[in-house]
Amino acid sequence: DKAMRLYEKHKDELRKRVGFKLELALYRANAVILTESEKEDQLLDNIQKVESITKHNTFDEIEKGNYKSFLSFITRHYLLSKNNLALAKKYHDKALRISLDSRKAPYSLEPFNHATDIDRMTIYLYEKEYQKALTLINETEKNYKKQINKIIFELKARSLLGLKELENSYKAVDQLLMAISEENKKNKFPENAVKEFTAGTSISDVTKLIHLAESFRGYYGKHSIEEEKLYWMALKQFEHNIGNTPLNKDLKSSFDKIISGLMAVALDREFSLEENNRLLTFIETITSQELINTFLLKREIAGNTELYKLIEEEQYIRSYITFLKKEFQKSKDEALQQQLFEKEIELKKISEQLTDQYKLNNLFAVSDIDIAVGTANKNIIKFKVSGEELFKIRLYNGKIVYQKIDNYPALKKEIGDYLSLINNLETPINTLKKQGDILYKKLFTDDFNEAIPSVIIPDDILYYLPFELLVKNDRYLVEDHTISYASSFYFLQERSFSKTGSKYKRAAFFAPEYSGEIQESMIAVRGAPYSLMGAQEEVSEIAKFISGEVYEGNLASKTNFKSLGKDVSILHLAMHSNLNEEDPELNTLMFSNSEQDYEMHISELYGLNFNADLAVLSACNTGIGGFKDGGNLISMRRAFTFAGISATVASLWNAPDQSTRKIMVAFYKNLQQGQDKATALQQAKLSYLKNTKDENLKHPFYWAGFVLSGDKSPIELSKNSFWKSTSGLIVFSIIIMLILIVFLTKKRK
């Protein structure tokens, strides 16, 4: 946008100097950005502007080449991303009509013609005109021997499969693998093992391997060894080249296709322990890398430069190690091996520094996963959405089971409808239970047969679903099972969470005061700026038996929150929050509005550092938000994770004031008795249901909204001494006064 505005300002002068070359280049770059962000309307407007320029101006050969390149990009967009063959052919035909003469240009324009030829081959392939595609491919191989594009070998193999020439397609695959890396020269596909495949240095080659895998699935109509090997090769190629590159739309799509492709294979045959570990490590490493890149960007924007620089340095070292590994693979130079050794020591030191200073070891650092270690008595269920498909991975006692959930688009709508029913107090409990039973049967089979704690790793709309509300044998899951949540498999490894230093944990309780008033017809929920009696009672009651500092009324300010010390281990925020429908990063927690700046935005939380073990976000909608970052959930819960807190209790909808108070008080009492965080929350909910006499108040809206995410281990809470409490001080003062009166009376006598 800035480039285009600058061009508009100086376009007359620039056109005199460089013609329309710069303008066309800018429009092509803009088209790439618009397709990445899926802004189709703006892309069409962009195309129309370029068409207008070409109609009313005379171009030189280089400008014609740039225009032809622009049309080629649009052709591939509609063919590969939108699967719109008609529009792809429309723009391809326009590109074909542009004739280029390299003699009129300072350099060869053949690459522009070559790109158009590749588009034509691809269109033939999509039209199933395999012989036409192969004829053009053979001509291209003959005419462009020195400049042959690797995609030619991919298209050749796919065309030969379409013609049922299996053996010849193998030879074309061999050509592609050798083009990816010369070290694959002696390999013969599909005979050689995947471990003998050497990854090349281009991440774009991942797409070619995926396309071939999909073509073999189409050729056989079922799982084949060829398809499987190509997906494992694609995984290796992706892993070898991703480095610290953020996942754009195309890379995210490739990542999802590799995962769903291999999980589809796992449905046909049982993976070995090594294969399961390999796949899960890949999933978590790439997901973790994406989280780091998002984290770095948000920390920089929020102005947290100290931590940003430290992590940036760590990421640079990781990138350099990747570079050294690639170079050593080529040359086997001992000097490079020594550099690699030194950089790995450097990386270890800076990782230790990050672990010591910040709680990032469990959030971002993902080592190789070994499902045989540390998974006893754990029931871990991960959901993964890929396109319109939903897969489930269940890890139980060192064994993994993969399952594909049928018809995810329809299921997604059902879940949305179910959430609407929960938030409607007119919905009968029997109706909710019936729907909860239906969803349970669609999502699970025997996943909850054991009475052990379960951890759910959700994806997409499943982030919004309280799984403990699903129904099995006419009972909520919460009645028989302890359920918590996490964002990744990081907790599979036995890790020690960094501690705040003291044996007993110091808490900070916030219960702000607001100037607004609640209307008589409204249910008091923690989502608008009126004073909350339940929130204030909640904090006062918990503080009677948990040691901590209480910030009530005007003292519960944003300023006091931001100035909390690193010795605070528990943050309890009983207040209003606000969702922003347009931009989830503008969701807010509302501190006391006695200050002019009293709203804490998600984007501000990214810049804070905490060393806390637990954040209890006792407010509305703190566990939900929006999916802005390429499919990643943006929420208050996630923002507190970014701020360095290993566990959060957050809400999936509006938090009713009085029932929330009862559940929170019971939660802390359970924690104090030594229960782990997940069990403490489960038992608090069950206690609410048991002790609530009014059937209307047993509606799930009142009690099921809060969920625990992250580290569920117990937390040692110090008891608040009666003599240090306000009541204790009053009693103590009365006793002193009575002693003094008795003493003075005796003295007078």
Side-chain angles (χ1 to χ4, degrees), residues 421-435:
L421 291 174
I422 292 172
N423 280 272
N424 181 359
L425 291 172
E426 300 299 319
T427 306
I429 291 177
N430 285 340
T431 301
L432 287 174
K433 278 199 162 187
K434 183 179 178 182
Q435 189 60 31

Side-chain angles (χ1 to χ4, degrees), residues 122-146:
T122 310
I123 287 172
Y124 283 149
L125 196 64
Y126 274 71
E127 291 179 323
K128 298 185 178 180
E129 296 280 0
Y130 302 119
Q131 190 57 59
K132 286 184 179 180
L134 193 59
T135 301
L136 186 55
I137 288 166
N138 290 334
E139 288 175 12
T140 304
E141 279 191 280
K142 184 178 177 181
N143 298 329
Y144 292 93
K145 283 183 180 178
K146 292 183 180 179

Side-chain angles (χ1 to χ4, degrees), residues 272-282 369-372:
S272 67
L273 176 64
E274 182 184 356
E275 288 169 327
N276 280 320
N277 287 339
R278 185 85 177 85
L279 178 56
L280 290 182
T281 297
F282 174 70
I369 286 174
D370 185 353
I371 61 175

Side-chain angles (χ1 to χ4, degrees), residues 256-285:
D256 285 345
K257 284 180 179 178
I258 292 170
I259 293 168
S260 59
L262 286 171
M263 283 198 284
V265 171
L267 296 176
D268 290 327
R269 74 166 182 86
E270 188 175 343
F271 276 2
S272 67
L273 176 64
E274 182 184 356
E275 288 169 327
N276 280 320
N277 287 339
R278 185 85 177 85
L279 178 56
L280 290 182
T281 297
F282 174 70
I283 293 172
E284 295 311 304
T285 301

